[in-house]
Amino acid sequence: MMNKKVDIKKLIKRGILLFLFLGCIGLFVANKFVKKYDYNNLGDFISNYWSNKELANQADPTVISISISEKDYDFLKKKRQEALDRGVQIQVGENYIACEVSVGDEKVAGEIRLKGHMTDHLEGDKWSFRVKTESPIMGMYRFSLQHPGTRNYAYEWVYHQLLANEDIIYLKYEFVHLKLGDRDLGIYAMEEHFGQHILHRNDRPKGAILRWNPGLYWESRIDEMQKIYLDQSYSAYSSSYAEPYDRGTVKDDPELIATYIEGARLLEAFRRDSLKTSEVFDVPRMARFHAIIDLVGGHHSLDWSDVKLFYNSSTKKIEPVGYESFSIRKTERIAGQKQPEFTEGIEEDYHTKLFADPIFYTAYIENLERIADETYFHDFTAKIQEPLNEKLAILATEWPYRRFGFEGYYENIDLIRHNLALPKPFHAFIESSTDSTLLLSFAPVSDYPIEITAVAFEDGQLSVSDFYLPPKPRRSYTKYYQLQLKHDNFKINNLKVKAKIPGSKNTFEVEVNEYPSFENEDFSVIEEEIQDIESLDDVKSTAEGLIYFNRDTLVIRKNVEVKKDKTLRLLAGQWVKFEGQGCITVKGKLEMFGGDDRKIRIVSSTENPCIRIENSELHAVHVVFQGGDNVIEAKETQLFFQSCTFAEIEKCFLTAASSSIGLANCQMGSVNTFSTIENCQMEINNLVAKKGQMFSHSKGSYLTVKNAEFEAYEQFVELDHISTLDIWGSQFYKTSRIAELNNASLFHAYGCLFSDVTTGFLLDHRTYLPGKSNYIVYKTDIKTVKILEEKVL
């Protein structure tokens, strides 16, 4: 028997092919992994890694040692656990413990406690601390120590350098090596905390640093974390008050008390519309501050509960204090673009009030175009490059794989420029004309106020002064504004209107339509005593087919019909109850326009849908839907809900087919299922939804969700029959499963957070169509998902 001869050459070839195959797979996996850290590919990662390692060799971080007793360390551990159990950290009672802080040969006595509202400050071994010292150390007597990732590493330092470059109050921000007792905690971010030392370093007079008291806001957040959902106004901006930030220091100093009182007086007058932005705030500095926020994408720091302010006793105005930029993020919407929704009455939003003053808005746009500019930013980065390298070197000693780059800033510059370059700011119409007069009407369609500067004719031009169009409120029909001009027998054809965003260098030219606009007439309320509604046949309509009810409380116990040529409009403050077999069948249109302080209430105790609508439109603004097993049944209909509340729905709120559905700025609680939809398109913006079995069943539909928060759901969605869901910037808490995907359905998540989620995705559990379901999560935190994927074949 002869032994089979081994073909060495063939074996080597196969080995080489296997090696290349495995290498390609490894390269693919590695490329996919490094892209999570914003690298282009593995080569980019390796190059940056070794560059950082070389930088780290040059690092010489300052070492800060903090000495505490073991008993006090156990106290901090206990406080940390309490916060983790609660879900949010609230500083109640005595939280500081004694410590000694050392930097080199310098030693000072002080106090230390845990810091941060959210529990991300307490995860892992790098807890966040607040330190107070009896005398300054490193130029500070109050400062925070936290994981550099809390403020996105070196990007926060760049933000403060931008503020300093524009003479805006900024914080000292360093990277240090921290030792707590005998525990080496590694590299920390050291952030200066609010006190008079900040003002001295920023060349400002002595004065009080102010904020809107956020205490009740955080109480409401605790309730939410504990699944207590209350419709209360105590946590709103309108219920807060201006307070000094460092109350302990202020109350012992008459000069600081005086500046606090004056600053708080101005802020309260501003809040109550007694004084405008330009009468209260330092306009140039506030304008530059918001332009920088746009450049870095730090809009999360503009919430009323986060802003920090300073009353300058020399200028008698209030100016901003830079803090927490959360940068860098994409600037898809600039600060001055945040305009009011469709609402009337008292404006309770701090941000909207700020930008309502034309003087401030003009200064803001001027500075935004100056700062959001490639040349400006190039000159700035050249100025900071040397100290920036020192900061990056220190960070590289612990995180050599972290990438830093200026690309995000340049991308935001491009986004801002495109945002301001409107395709068309308004529509223009000729209402009437004579040999000497011209009446134009304008329908604004953008998020910006617009200044009309001139009207150009074929043989001349008329200048226009002090004529401004307001921004168009989101989710509302446009309004018309008229301008009458006198002229010297110009030819009224080929008219063009010249306009600009106030403060901008860019001019728009809009052609004028040579026919009049359509403007809604005022409709009178039907003068008829109606309480129990059994039929709409006897209700008188206006000539335009608009139906009103003039009673605050309506009870519907039978099926009533809105005919095809009619529009039923519910008014602010009305309360409609559905009982028994009560239902409205809509063949015309249904409009429900409530107000922020006069909401419409739809209350159902029926098992059947109380609104049936087909081949029509439904618009709901500031409406509360409460109770019932099923509320709306729709087919081939456009439905839009803005600033609405949905609560205590036993089964499903909306069953829809072949319809278009939109939600904006809504909230819901204890809704078993919000929607069951088939062949629909649904778009959701700014939603908070808590406590339910499943948010949506979708069959053959397309869903988009942006900036939403979901908590305490058994399952978020079920997608079936080639359904697709795209979700951006949203958060999931305490959810048993994110999605079940069947029959070639797709789930795409971008920049989301999954926290305390048991199961990620159940794929093709009940599949009979060809094709596979799939999910993609991009820049999404999935660390807490216990099972990312579960397949049942």
Side-chain angles (χ1 to χ4, degrees), residues 551-553 571-575 593-595 598-601 622:
R551 296 296 293 263
D552 288 338
T553 302
L571 304 176
Q574 287 187 321
W575 189 343
F593 293 149
R598 298 194 65 211
K599 298 181 186 298
I600 295 170
R601 299 182 69 88
H622 287 299

Side-chain angles (χ1 to χ4, degrees), residues 39 42-56 396 398-403:
Y39 289 99
L42 183 60
D44 185 23
F45 172 83
I46 294 171
S47 174
N48 190 84
Y49 180 86
W50 286 112
S51 177
N52 280 345
K53 292 295 283 185
E54 289 181 10
L55 266 179
E398 191 164 340
W399 298 279
Y401 56 87
R402 279 282 167 189
R403 185 180 188 277

Side-chain angles (χ1 to χ4, degrees), residues 414-447:
D414 190 53
L415 287 171
I416 291 167
R417 182 179 293 113
H418 278 80
N419 207 330
L420 294 175
L422 302 172
K424 190 177 184 182
F426 55 83
H427 304 304
F429 305 87
I430 298 177
E431 295 295 341
S432 62
S433 64
T434 68
D435 291 342
S436 59
T437 62
L438 174 66
L439 182 63
L440 301 177
S441 66
F442 303 96
V445 294
S446 79
D447 291 336

Side-chain angles (χ1 to χ4, degrees), residues 510-570:
V510 177
E511 294 185 358
V512 181
N513 293 298
E514 295 181 354
Y515 48 85
S517 66
F518 173 78
E519 296 190 62
N520 291 327
E521 299 176 3
D522 291 332
F523 300 112
S524 57
V525 176
I526 299 172
E527 295 296 333
E528 194 164 24
E529 295 293 322
I530 299 175
Q531 186 167 12
D532 281 16
I533 306 299
E534 295 187 358
S535 172
L536 299 183
D537 293 339
D538 300 328
V539 176
K540 296 178 181 178
S541 301
T542 66
E544 293 76 14
L546 197 61
I547 302 171
Y548 287 98
F549 302 135
N550 71 336
R551 296 296 293 263
D552 288 338
T553 302
L554 314 171
V555 180
I556 298 179
R557 296 186 174 92
K558 295 183 177 180
N559 183 37
V560 295
E561 182 178 305
V562 180
K563 294 184 177 180
K564 193 170 184 179
D565 58 343
K566 302 292 185 181
T567 297
L568 175 61
R569 180 176 293 175
L570 301 183

Side-chain angles (χ1 to χ4, degrees), residues 123 730 732 749-755 757 777-785 788:
E123 294 173 356
S730 298
F732 297 88
Y750 308 91
C752 295
L753 169 65
F754 298 158
S755 179
V757 175
V777 289
Y778 179 71
K779 289 190 176 180
T780 292
D781 188 347
I782 58 174
K783 294 179 182 176
T784 58
V785 180
L788 182 60

